[in-house]
Amino acid sequence: MSISVLNAGLQTTLQGAPFTGHRHLGMPAAGAADCVSLALANFLVGKPGGAIGIEITLTDAIFAIDEPCSIAVVGAAEYVRINGQEHPQHQTLKLMAGDRLHIGPSRPGCRTYLSISVEIRADELLGGRSTYLAAGLGGFHGRALKAEDVIIFSQNSPTIEVKRTTPLALRPHYSDDHVLRVTPGPEADKSNESILDILCQGLYTVGSRASRMGMALKGAPLVANESSTMPSAAVFPGTIQLPPDGQPFLLGPDAQTTGGYPRIAQVIRADRHLIGQLGSGSRIQFVRTTTERATETHREKLSLLSSWLGPINLW
Amino acid sequence: MADHLPPIHICDDWISITLPDWESILAAQAAFSASHHWTEIVPGLTSIAVQFDPALVSPDDAASMVRDQLDSAAPVAAASHIVVTIPVCYEGELAPDREFVAKKLGIAAEALPAWHASRPQRVTMLGFMPGFAYLESTEPCPIIGRLASPRQLVKAGSIGIIGQQSCIYSFDSPGGWPIIGRTPLRLFDPARKQSALLSAGQTMRFESISQEAFDNWPPTVEA
């Protein structure tokens, strides 16, 4: 049983839960850039939130399936077509052998997740199976999918028969405008307290250098008072660094584990899944919050999502 | 560490602790590793960070635990540091910047392998890529600096040097450090029990090997 890639688009990778516990070895998180959309898609085919799905970036992608199975699509895609016929997102969809699945381009937003009711075979390492592109590890031979690739389904994996529709209230709103809440980073105070005020004043636009590793942001320049480099220190997805050019750099799921630029702010855990929907040209309003409020926000979001999805993690 | 608790910075799911020297970073790493509350423990050059699950632990409680664990951190015995030897071929196309680096150091290019291999190194940190090792020579060294423009492709195993600091590239990647040799060893192999060959705090030295020895190096299964 397999799914064939007819058109992989710009960057399509196998992604599920991130790698954890290995950052001291230099192993980044990887995993689905938008964990909420993946978890919603997985639930519609009866899978846990962190199960491996197919992450599609910006452009459209086309697949063919050789055995009957259930699928679900959740994300920024403009449309979902099966054999040319339009079908909704946020619903369990039945596919027959030979069906052609066309997932439209992201409009607005950046990423879409395709979940399949059978288990997708993916390279395993360090307890995870997501794709980490820079080192060519995990997922489908460590790389993005391309046309003519055949993704194999694990044999004897039970097909869970569910028919579900995501409640309207839980469907994410895909947009090119985002509000991201931040707390000060370790170097925010040292460099200049007002840096965070400037960061949170105007809009920042994601520049053309945007990837799963991170993205340069264009907007009011921030000027560091002190030297613009420092001894390398731990960074995480959602860390905002301040390189010497004064344009903040927001780290994504594939970001390296340490960095030498001041860490001026940190996007709170509850909002980090939104980074997966940021593409070149997306606008961001940063809003300052406290760690206490961030913890409450995280628990509120978890409780809302788990009312539908059951126990779930955000990363 | 009981007398002066170091400065810490609290984010909503991680905490950064600034520490005075690498001995205290290693001691903190050992103390944090004994706790099951941290999902990540990441040493930096002059700091260490721990990450936690904010659904289970509040930032304030995490900060208290950090302080308690630092308070009880004991120096890591030097005997526990394994001295590792890394074979390096300093020849030909494996060492594209050998002349450049030798000139900066004011020595003959032929003398570079013996010079570099004679200097004990300490692994300060892993980062950049899985298994990528940042090294610091225990002896002083003139500043060499980075290449004027970074290479698009540095091969895995390449040894870079910018002065007191050297590094070993673990995967093919772009890179800006002058390259003086390459090791046939795999710095990162997820199939091994210890996937990363090196770890922060280890002491190591390089050993010069011939091109022939490099070419015929047996693929290792387990380090």
Side-chain angles (χ1 to χ4, degrees):
Chain A
M1 271 182 83
S2 66
I3 177 168
S4 306
V5 182
L6 302 182
N7 174 4
L10 187 68
Q11 186 182 78
T12 298
T13 54
L14 302 186
Q15 299 291 357
F19 296 97
T20 56
H22 306 288
R23 294 185 80 81
H24 62 292
L25 305 179
M27 184 69 193
D34 174 0
C35 60
V36 171
S37 296
L38 173 68
L40 289 169
N42 275 338
F43 189 69
L44 297 173
V45 296
K47 283 180 163 178
I52 294 286
I54 300 177
E55 179 181 283
I56 300 153
T57 312
L58 285 170
T59 53
D60 54 354
I62 305 171
F63 305 92
I65 283 167
D66 77 348
E67 288 274 338
C69 63
S70 297
I71 61 138
V73 179
V74 172
E78 195 181 8
Y79 53 81
V80 178
R81 289 180 190 145
I82 298 169
N83 303 325
Q85 189 99 35
E86 201 135 337
H87 286 263
Q89 288 196 28
H90 284 296
Q91 240 180 61
T92 315
L93 302 172
K94 300 279 176 202
L95 290 189
M96 305 309 289
D99 276 354
R100 186 184 153 101
L101 173 67
H102 184 169
I103 295 170
S106 300
R107 204 167 288 152
C110 187
R111 289 185 175 85
T112 300
Y113 293 86
L114 163 61
S115 291
I116 303 168
S117 57
V118 283
E119 192 187 325
I120 293 170
R121 201 180 288 175
D123 295 350
E124 187 171 347
L125 71 144
L126 305 175
R129 300 197 301 143
S130 289
T131 312
Y132 171 45
L133 288 170
L137 296 171
F140 188 88
H141 309 310
R143 64 168 172 82
L145 298 170
K146 55 188 191 209
E148 295 179 18
D149 280 341
V150 177
I151 305 162
I152 309 288
F153 298 151
S154 296
Q155 277 177 353
N156 307 322
S157 71
T159 304
I160 307 132
E161 286 295 330
V162 293
K163 180 125 186 72
R164 289 172 174 156
T165 305
T166 311
L168 286 173
L170 289 179
R171 297 184 185 187
H173 172 65
Y174 296 92
S175 169
D176 288 328
D177 293 280
H178 291 273
V179 174
L180 297 180
R181 286 164 283 197
V182 296
T183 61
E187 282 72 50
D189 300 326
K190 239 180 280 175
S191 50
N192 190 339
E193 180 62 19
S194 67
I195 273 190
L196 220 61
D197 295 337
I198 300 170
L199 184 75
C200 295
Q201 248 162 35
L203 287 178
Y204 280 86
T205 306
V206 176
S208 53
R209 265 171 66 221
S211 73
R212 287 179 47 91
M213 298 183 85
M215 55 205 81
L217 306 178
K218 292 187 286 189
L222 306 171
V223 182
N225 279 354
E226 291 179 19
S227 143
S228 54
T229 60
M230 53 168 227
S232 285
V235 293
F236 294 91
T239 301
I240 301 173
Q241 297 178 302
L242 181 57
D245 66 5
Q247 296 294 346
F249 196 86
L250 170 60
L251 297 178
D254 284 3
Q256 57 193 68
T257 54
T258 57
Y261 297 131
R263 303 161 292 178
I264 57 166
Q266 176 67 40
V267 176
I268 67 170
R269 173 86 76 115
D271 286 348
R272 246 168 259 172
H273 64 100
L274 297 169
I275 295 172
Q277 294 301 338
L278 296 173
S280 180
S282 295
R283 289 166 299 272
I284 308 168
Q285 174 70 61
F286 291 106
V287 173
R288 185 175 180 162
T289 187
T290 62
T291 54
E292 292 76 22
R293 187 76 197 102
T295 307
E296 286 169 32
T297 308
H298 180 247
R299 288 178 184 175
E300 283 161 14
K301 207 172 245 189
L302 281 182
S303 115
L304 181 72
L305 287 167
S306 60
S307 67
W308 168 244
L309 300 172
I312 180 185
N313 287 319
L314 298 179
W315 57 81
Chain B
M1 283 198 198
D3 297 339
H4 303 288
L5 282 177
I8 71 171
H9 180 90
I10 309 166
C11 290
D12 75 315
D13 71 342
W14 58 279
I15 292 175
S16 173
I17 304 109
T18 307
L19 291 167
D21 48 48
W22 68 272
E23 286 93 345
S24 43
I25 292 174
L26 284 188
Q29 185 178 22
F32 294 146
S33 299
S35 165
H36 65 277
H37 291 289
W38 313 123
T39 52
E40 301 283 355
I41 302 164
V42 195
L45 290 180
T46 58
S47 62
I48 187 167
V50 289
Q51 190 175 40
F52 52 93
D53 182 345
L56 305 175
V57 183
S58 76
D60 283 349
D61 289 347
S64 303
M65 286 192 284
V66 161
R67 292 193 183 96
D68 289 348
Q69 289 166 18
L70 284 174
D71 207 31
S72 62
V76 176
S80 68
H81 301 163
I82 308 147
V83 180
V84 196
T85 303
I86 301 285
V88 177
C89 177
Y90 293 91
E91 291 172 28
E93 62 184 32
L94 305 182
D97 302 314
R98 184 169 143 176
E99 300 276 344
F100 168 82
V101 170
K103 212 166 153 187
K104 287 267 185 180
L105 295 171
I107 61 173
E110 300 73 46
L112 185 72
W115 176 86
H116 192 244
S118 70
R119 305 166 68 83
Q121 312 272 340
R122 193 172 52 75
V123 180
T124 52
M125 193 178 82
L126 301 184
F128 180 56
M129 297 277 275
F132 181 105
Y134 290 90
L135 314 171
E136 190 174 65
S137 169
T138 52
E139 290 167 35
C141 175
I143 292 167
I144 295 161
R146 288 176 168 78
L147 298 172
S149 58
R151 285 195 170 84
Q152 285 304 304
L153 176 66
V154 174
K155 296 296 281 182
S158 291
I159 313 295
I161 183 168
I162 55 169
Q164 193 115 355
Q165 270 195 300
S166 295
C167 73
I168 314 178
Y169 286 82
S170 53
F171 286 90
D172 291 0
S173 66
W177 293 40
I179 302 300
I180 57 167
R182 197 187 300 172
T183 176
L185 300 185
R186 281 186 75 178
L187 271 288
F188 188 85
D189 180 354
R192 284 192 304 237
K193 204 163 70 188
Q194 299 282 340
S195 49
L197 188 63
L198 300 170
S199 62
Q202 272 180 332
T203 46
M204 56 146 292
R205 55 171 64 246
F206 292 110
E207 181 186 45
S208 179
I209 60 165
S210 67
Q211 178 82 53
E212 195 190 348
F214 180 92
D215 293 339
N216 296 311
W217 202 267
T220 46
V221 180
E222 186 91 12

